Amino acid sequence: TRELPDGTFYSTLYLPINSPLRASIVGPPMSCIRLAERVVALICCEKLHKIGELDDHLMPVGKETVKYEEELDLHDEEETSVPGRPGSTKRRQCYPKAIPECLRESYPRPGQPCYLYVIGMVLTTPLPDELNFRRRKLYPPEDTTRCFGILT
């Protein structure tokens, strides 16, 4: 991310060598660094979607994804007896990302009312140190401006 003489910022995104998008992606000037980084990421997602590398839910499409999903299907019913603490690098667990059936193809329609449900969260019990293996600082969700929501 670089600052322009007028005080705006722009970001350039370089994808890995094995990416189908070989050229760097430069975003438009924005009022702050965070927006400059977000807009260049959005442009990248749009380009990857346009060439078929991301599906309509912005999930990756390709041989690796299919292979990964097949592996998940094979291990669904197996019990894992992997040594190590949960969350540590010796006991890495993979979970499939999925969209619930009731939320698929449920986009807003013109002329139809939409409702936004904002989900407020409050940290009631902090994570004990013995379960915080990586010693990461935990921030109470009520102290941030971010929140979750469901649009229906």
Side-chain angles (χ1 to χ4, degrees):
T1 303
R2 300 210 178 201
E3 186 172 5
L4 296 170
D6 65 353
T8 59
F9 299 87
Y10 75 93
S11 268
T12 305
L13 183 64
Y14 302 94
L15 293 173
I17 191 80
N18 61 348
S19 170
L21 290 179
R22 303 234 188 271
S24 59
I25 300 168
V26 180
M30 300 302 283
S31 59
C32 66
I33 294 173
R34 185 182 228 171
L35 286 176
E37 291 172 347
R38 286 181 178 182
V39 75
V40 77
L42 176 63
I43 292 167
C44 179
C45 288
E46 288 171 344
K47 289 184 177 201
L48 288 169
H49 180 264
K50 190 174 185 176
I51 64 172
E53 290 294 317
L54 296 177
D55 66 15
D56 289 342
H57 302 287
L58 302 181
M59 298 292 287
V61 176
K63 288 181 265 182
E64 292 82 14
T65 306
V66 173
K67 183 178 176 186
Y68 175 71
E69 287 174 352
E70 287 173 356
E71 287 176 9
L72 286 176
D73 289 342
L74 291 174
H75 299 297
D76 272 350
E77 295 177 13
E78 290 180 11
E79 275 206 311
T80 55
S81 57
V82 181
R85 298 177 299 198
S88 67
T89 53
K90 289 186 179 183
R91 186 173 172 185
R92 183 163 294 178
Q93 296 174 315
C94 295
Y95 301 94
K97 293 182 181 179
I99 297 169
E101 191 67 42
C102 63
L103 298 178
R104 293 183 190 168
E105 303 299 324
S106 59
Y107 303 112
R109 296 186 186 122
Q112 297 262 334
C114 291
Y115 302 95
L116 175 63
Y117 296 89
V118 177
I119 301 169
M121 296 181 296
V122 176
L123 181 64
T124 56
T125 308
L127 187 66
D129 285 339
E130 60 269 10
L131 295 177
N132 189 2
F133 304 117
R134 296 189 179 165
R135 305 286 181 238
R136 291 184 174 161
K137 183 165 174 39
L138 299 175
Y139 298 95
E142 63 269 19
D143 292 348
T144 181
T145 57
R146 295 180 181 180
C147 61
F148 288 99
I150 298 176
L151 183 66
T152 62

